[in-house]
Amino acid sequence: MKALVTGGAGFIGSHLVDQLVKQGVDVVVVDDLSMGNVDNIKNQDAVTIYIEDVRNEMFMQALLQKEKFDYIYFLAAVASVADSIERPSETHEINHNAVLKTLEYIRTAKLPLKQFLFTSSAAVYGNLPELPKKEDSRVSPLSPYAIDKYATERYVLAYGELYDLPTVCVRFFNVYGPGQNPSSPYSGVLSILTDCLENNKPFTLFGDGSQTRDFIYIEDVIQALWLITIKAAHHQVFNIANGRELALNDIIKTYEMVAGHELSINRTEGRLGEVKRSVADISKLVKLGYVADWSLESGLTRYWEGAEYAASRS
Ligand code: UD2
């Protein structure tokens, strides 16, 4: 079996690559390293890595033609809402057009394929009040990022139906764990909190901390992606989340307890356009056999121990 993971050097992609290698799959990674790092991939010798941009059509077509992948996991994206607002046209090329062109090439070249999985986001739900979010809840994509994710989902599913391709989409909620890059202000809050706790930096809390999120540990994300693959659960959308709604204040308290010391917190105004509450209904995933193995506390404990260990070796 052969798999392509675009964005395979990124946070989620590299964990997926590790899992695929463990399962005996031949893995090819395409990543431009705009956010990722090759060192995120544990078993680099077992993986073919191309430092390339998924917008490079000639490269992508030649690769698809040569390798005839069984599985394609399309994770390459500019994963920042804020960045998409700054650069809507450029991020559209990556977050939408690159995916569509890959699918179009697969269709026209009649490439054999067992699965094309596209990674979307909870951002598609926007700020509508219905909770928990079900895959068929109303959507309200508000940013170029969310619009691209939703439009691409629709194309991916339509290609599945119209041209009989085994396509599937997943919507990530808030994913955390080792390898998440804390360097941008739009990095995941738990990577920023880890950095602050580790290096005694002050943490900037946006708003009063009562906003809620559904945090899922990276290993549970990988479990979910693998289940979808082995069950060939195609032609549909899955929420990928823990299913538990937690306020940011409680998340911070839990992390302080895990780390054994308090954070210094600077409070500032809430982010513009911020989602107030977010939680997923994960019953579709559970029907596939998914069981969340990681509570917030156990996930944070593992994450913190890894960060401490890395710091002690650097
Ligand atoms: C997540 C996704 C985003 C988009 C969005 C859709 C991540 C990293 N981002 O944004 O791409 O899909 O969901 O709704 O998963 N916060 C602070 N201080 C900080 C950083 C964050 O208080 O230094 C707060 C932030 O205001 C928010 C919460 O922490 O209330 C989580 O922030 P986040 O950036 O990790 O994720 P989110 O849900 O805004």
Side-chain angles (χ1 to χ4, degrees):
M1 290 292 165
K2 203 175 265 189
L4 169 66
V5 182
T6 71
F11 163 47
I12 301 175
S14 59
H15 285 273
L16 175 63
V17 169
D18 291 342
Q19 163 73 359
L20 293 169
V21 169
K22 214 188 289 170
Q23 297 296 334
V25 179
D26 279 346
V27 185
V28 174
V29 164
V30 174
D31 199 306
D32 69 351
L33 304 186
S34 51
M35 277 300 275
N37 186 330
V38 170
D39 290 338
N40 284 337
I41 300 169
K42 282 201 189 106
N43 202 342
Q44 287 169 33
D45 293 344
V47 180
T48 307
I49 303 170
Y50 294 99
I51 315 295
E52 261 300 345
D53 190 317
V54 288
R55 285 173 294 183
N56 184 340
E57 256 183 278
M58 297 267 282
F59 166 80
M60 288 296 287
Q61 292 183 359
L63 182 71
L64 292 165
Q65 189 59 252
K66 177 175 156 228
E67 300 283 1
K68 308 260 181 334
F69 295 107
D70 297 290
Y71 306 119
I72 297 178
Y73 297 88
F74 211 107
L75 279 78
V78 176
S80 160
V81 171
D83 208 358
S84 80
I85 294 169
E86 295 281 318
R87 305 184 290 146
S89 179
E90 194 181 347
T91 55
H92 178 69
E93 290 298 322
I94 302 160
N95 292 349
H96 180 77
N97 282 343
V99 185
L100 184 54
K101 284 180 177 162
T102 303
L103 274 174
E104 180 61 2
Y105 185 72
I106 291 165
R107 174 177 89 90
T108 51
K110 297 192 169 47
L111 296 181
L113 187 67
K114 293 197 169 57
Q115 173 180 277
F116 184 98
L117 182 145
F118 172 66
T119 52
S120 179
S121 160
V124 302
Y125 294 115
N127 243 329
L128 296 172
E130 300 97 330
L131 287 170
K133 299 298 182 193
K134 289 174 81 100
E135 290 84 350
D136 58 2
S137 292
R138 285 188 301 155
V139 295
S140 172
L142 301 171
S143 61
Y145 172 78
I147 294 165
D148 278 336
K149 286 293 183 190
Y150 189 62
T152 312
E153 277 186 17
R154 300 311 307 174
Y155 269 101
V156 168
L157 294 177
Y159 265 68
E161 296 300 335
L162 296 171
Y163 311 119
D164 196 23
L165 289 173
T167 62
V168 56
C169 301
V170 298
R171 292 176 182 160
F172 291 137
F173 280 66
N174 291 72
V175 183
Y176 71 102
Q180 196 168 27
N181 183 341
S183 64
S184 126
Y186 298 103
S187 296
V189 70
L190 285 175
S191 67
I192 296 173
L193 279 167
T194 305
D195 186 36
C196 292
L197 282 164
E198 180 81 42
N199 300 302
N200 289 315
K201 294 182 187 165
F203 172 73
T204 305
L205 175 62
F206 300 124
D208 64 3
S210 66
Q211 63 265 43
T212 66
R213 293 293 183 271
D214 187 337
F215 276 95
I216 175 166
Y217 190 59
I218 184 68
E219 288 194 17
D220 279 337
V221 171
I222 303 308
Q223 179 203 159
L225 296 179
W226 186 242
L227 261 176
I228 289 168
T229 300
I230 57 175
K231 301 251 162 144
H234 302 143
H235 306 292
Q236 53 194 316
V237 179
F238 289 97
N239 286 337
I240 306 267
N242 190 274
R244 195 154 169 231
E245 182 179 18
L246 289 170
L248 187 54
N249 282 329
D250 295 328
I251 293 164
I252 292 171
K253 270 194 217 118
T254 304
Y255 211 0
E256 288 177 325
M257 203 183 65
V258 164
H261 65 272
E262 282 189 10
L263 268 174
S264 108
I265 299 179
N266 294 330
R267 287 163 198 280
T268 184
E269 271 176 38
R271 276 180 180 163
L272 204 65
E274 168 106 326
V275 175
K276 181 74 185 140
R277 290 180 63 192
S278 173
V279 61
D281 180 317
I282 55 164
S283 40
K284 263 184 92 172
L285 203 54
V286 168
K287 272 198 203 117
L288 272 192
Y290 171 82
V291 184
D293 284 332
W294 295 84
S295 66
L296 184 77
E297 198 175 339
S298 60
L300 284 179
T301 303
R302 172 62 72 81
Y303 188 15
W304 178 250
E305 284 168 0
E308 288 281 87
Y309 177 71
S312 72
R313 284 166 58 96
S314 64

